[in-house]
Amino acid sequence: MNRRLLPVLVLTMAAIPATAAARDQVAAMTLPEKVGQMVVSYVYGADATTVSAADATANEAMFGAGVTTPAQAVARFHLGGVIYFTWSRNLTNPPQIAALSNGLQRAAVADTGIPLQISTDQEGGTVNRIGAPLAISPGNMAIGATFDPRTAYDAAKVSGTELRALGINVTHAPVVDVNTNPRNAADGVRAFSDRTAHVATFGVAAERGYHAAGIGTTAKHFPGLGDTTVNTDNGVAVTDETRAQIMRTHVPPFRAVIAAGADSIMAAHIVAPSLDPTGVPASLSRPIITGLLRDQLHFNGVVVTDALEAAALEDYTDEQVILGAVKAGVDQLLMPRSVPGAIQILLDAVERGEISEARIDQSVRRILKTKKTISPYVPEPPVVGTPAAVATMNEIAARSITKLRGADLPLRPTQKVLVTGWGASTTTNLATALGATRFYTGSPSDDLITQAVAAAQQHDVTVVLTSNAWADPTQVKLVQALLATGKPIIPVAVNTPYDLATYPTAKNFVAAYGYQPPTVAALAAVLQGKAQATGRLPVTIEGLYPYGARGR
């Protein structure tokens, strides 16, 4: 297929100094155009200008009558950014994604002459919006388990290069939260480690890898979600740590990535009373965003909110959210509950003098500075999933698998092996790789546990997969019932390794930190004795294994 580069219809802002470019652009913009630059929204559809009836209806419901296509949404509201999701039907396959990106850029350039920020959450591991044929990162905690920061750089460079080929010019990564709470429902394996220095070192390496790929970054979630138990997507997260604890443990990784040139920082919706006694979420807090991030850490890049649709903000009105964020010092509003409403709220606030146009200009200049190197269009079809890229991710995954206990490992070719437990596709993929029988249970009922035990008794050895079993008593009950058979049972945590604390007497335990294809292949190789488990625990399993531990 012929690769062609679409003609660039606008001079990229890289051609003139960043500050001058931003100043000149802002001076020429209308207020609605400026406010539009501050909004990053999702859109429905796989094509910029041609959509299904369902997508047209969804776009009209979101953006208003007459806005049926992604391109129309970009042009009508002068959007500064679009974020891609599978559920909004933006991500079907690489050629489609690249074509959608080019179509959206055409709409943005025709409207304002300013390239569009196109982003997605491609962290690797459990938060991975685009799968094969891209080369998929095993995820942050798996990378952290290698104890080699070069793996963070390599994974970020590969991932960033592939995203850029698709026309995605910003990744909402890296996560630089320090996962100090084992019961953290927000981070877990999304974090590199529970140690501040480890996270800072790997976060900087990832930042540099993305930059080497030519893609923008979004370090998150400031001032740190590592001590919480609630995911702000689902509810209110509060940290009771003192200011000194937060500054000592959670802030240093952000300081490090800022020094490494972080393009933007995502403000979390976490409530941190020791940083702001008013109890407002960090994303709406002037003491946290301006006082700490801007003034104390000297960050003058773009501050973007976490998703404004999050349940953590459901007790706040749209006006409280939008004006609160901007007054706090935020530049970009990610996924506001109503795009037309958010824009009108800001326009009205400027009209009545509650927010000055100079304050809007300040954010727009920061945003335009991050766009100074964006060349709007990418070649079609894109080149992704090259053998070299896939090999890089496979090697990282192979170095991450951590065997803490292995009394019954490796598996022998003559053994009848059963794979059971969590993950419909994961159990299937691992069973296929091992040539084993598969019996999927998920979060099992008592009847499924009985069936799994019966199946285990008909096999020589059982590999049981768990995923955050510490939060799911049914998974723990399954493992304990299997252990009670007296047969060789090999628990494998395919999420956080803290699961071992829920069945501490197990004679075998392997931490995989994820379930992406490279990880499953690496896990199978370790279980079969075809590869050594060289990974080390990047976190502490309280009372059992310290940070840095590995089995013998």
Side-chain angles (χ1 to χ4, degrees):
M1 189 178 295
N2 182 43
R3 285 175 51 79
R4 56 187 174 85
L5 184 63
L6 295 178
V8 177
L9 303 181
V10 64
L11 180 67
T12 64
M13 294 163 62
I16 51 179
T19 53
R23 189 181 305 115
D24 292 346
Q25 285 289 124
V26 172
M29 295 169 69
T30 66
L31 180 60
E33 288 173 340
K34 296 175 187 178
V35 169
Q37 282 295 309
M38 297 174 68
V39 176
V40 179
S41 177
Y42 55 90
V43 292
Y44 289 93
D47 184 88
T49 57
T50 304
V51 297
S52 68
D55 287 334
T57 299
N59 283 321
E60 281 201 301
M62 184 172 178
F63 296 107
V67 181
T68 60
T69 70
Q72 288 171 341
V74 168
R76 171 76 66 86
F77 298 102
H78 320 297
L79 293 180
V82 166
I83 181 170
Y84 286 166
F85 290 99
T86 302
W87 51 260
S88 53
R89 294 174 286 282
N90 306 138
L91 306 171
T92 302
N93 56 61
Q96 170 269 316
I97 299 170
L100 172 61
S101 298
N102 284 332
L104 290 176
Q105 291 290 9
R106 282 192 293 271
V109 168
D111 176 42
T112 62
I114 300 171
L116 186 69
Q117 174 186 305
I118 300 177
S119 62
T120 197
D121 296 297
Q122 189 84 349
E123 299 171 10
T126 59
V127 178
N128 203 68
R129 305 302 185 205
I130 312 170
L134 272 64
I136 305 304
S137 168
N140 283 356
M141 193 169 284
I143 290 170
T146 69
F147 275 68
D148 181 358
R150 290 174 297 181
T151 59
Y153 176 91
D154 291 342
K157 185 176 180 182
V158 167
S159 182
T161 299
E162 296 202 317
L163 291 176
R164 192 67 194 90
L166 302 178
I168 297 169
N169 48 51
V170 169
T171 180
H172 291 297
V175 173
V176 292
D177 298 332
V178 183
N179 198 74
T180 55
N181 190 335
R183 302 186 72 82
N184 191 328
D187 285 325
V189 290
R190 298 171 67 194
F192 288 110
S193 174
D194 64 1
R195 299 298 177 99
T196 300
H198 194 125
V199 173
T201 299
F202 278 71
V204 166
E207 192 77 37
R208 290 173 175 161
Y210 288 123
H211 287 164
I215 193 170
T217 58
T218 314
K220 57 189 185 184
H221 309 79
F222 189 81
L225 288 177
D227 184 53
T228 64
T229 58
V230 177
N231 188 325
T232 56
D233 288 343
N234 305 318
V236 178
V238 180
T239 175
D240 295 322
E241 289 188 313
T242 66
R243 183 182 185 91
Q245 288 174 315
I246 293 171
M247 295 300 295
R248 181 174 62 250
T249 303
H250 303 285
V251 170
F254 289 97
R255 191 189 300 272
V257 295
I258 289 170
D263 302 287
S264 64
I265 302 288
M266 181 176 287
H269 301 318
I270 188 174
V271 176
S274 66
L275 299 181
D276 185 347
T278 67
V280 301
S283 54
L284 311 183
S285 167
R286 186 169 180 81
I288 294 175
I289 302 303
T290 295
L292 177 54
L293 182 56
R294 297 283 194 207
D295 296 343
Q296 191 166 342
L297 301 187
H298 307 295
F299 180 66
N300 195 36
V302 172
V303 177
V304 58
T305 66
D306 205 341
L308 295 179
E309 293 182 336
L313 300 179
E314 64 183 4
D315 290 336
Y316 293 84
T317 66
D318 285 355
E319 188 165 88
Q320 288 173 323
V321 168
I322 302 304
L323 298 185
V326 174
K327 290 178 180 180
V330 162
D331 303 302
Q332 283 185 322
L333 305 167
L334 178 62
M335 297 166 59
R337 290 179 290 220
S338 166
V339 169
I343 289 174
Q344 195 60 51
I345 285 169
L346 282 179
L347 292 174
D348 291 345
V350 173
E351 175 69 23
R352 64 177 178 266
E354 185 173 355
I355 292 177
S356 69
E357 189 164 357
R359 168 66 189 87
I360 300 297
D361 291 350
Q362 184 182 47
S363 285
V364 176
R365 281 194 295 271
R366 292 189 184 115
I367 293 165
L368 296 188
K369 185 178 178 181
T370 67
K371 295 183 176 185
K372 70 183 186 297
T373 58
I374 293 177
S375 297
Y377 308 108
V378 294
E380 297 181 41
V383 175
V384 295
T386 65
V390 171
T392 295
M393 297 305 194
N394 288 344
E395 181 184 357
I396 294 169
R399 297 177 61 188
S400 71
I401 305 299
T402 306
K403 182 180 72 175
L404 294 174
R405 300 176 183 178
D408 298 301
L409 289 173
L411 302 174
R412 298 188 301 276
T414 57
Q415 288 179 311
K416 290 177 59 181
V417 179
L418 175 71
V419 175
T420 190
W422 181 91
S425 61
T426 309
T427 50
T428 296
N429 295 339
L430 183 60
T432 299
L434 296 176
T437 303
R438 179 251 196 190
F439 183 81
Y440 166 65
T441 64
S443 297
S445 63
D446 288 346
D447 183 56
L448 276 177
I449 291 174
T450 299
Q451 293 179 52
V453 167
Q457 289 170 334
Q458 300 302 312
H459 289 75
D460 298 317
V461 59
T462 296
V463 178
V464 53
L465 307 185
T466 65
S467 176
N468 289 351
W470 48 265
D472 185 354
T474 67
Q475 291 187 56
V476 178
K477 189 174 181 181
L478 169 65
V479 174
Q480 291 173 338
L482 291 170
L483 293 173
T485 65
K487 303 277 284 189
I489 306 297
I490 303 168
V492 176
V494 295
N495 208 299
T496 56
Y498 306 114
D499 288 3
L500 179 58
T502 65
Y503 38 82
T505 61
K507 296 178 181 179
N508 303 280
F509 183 77
V510 178
Y513 311 104
Y515 42 79
Q516 293 293 346
T519 295
V520 173
L523 172 62
V526 166
L527 295 178
Q528 292 173 318
K530 296 177 180 178
Q532 295 296 312
T534 60
R536 298 162 57 192
L537 269 182
V539 297
T540 301
I541 303 179
E542 197 64 40
L544 292 173
Y545 289 97
Y547 162 86
R550 64 179 166 208
R552 288 179 170 81

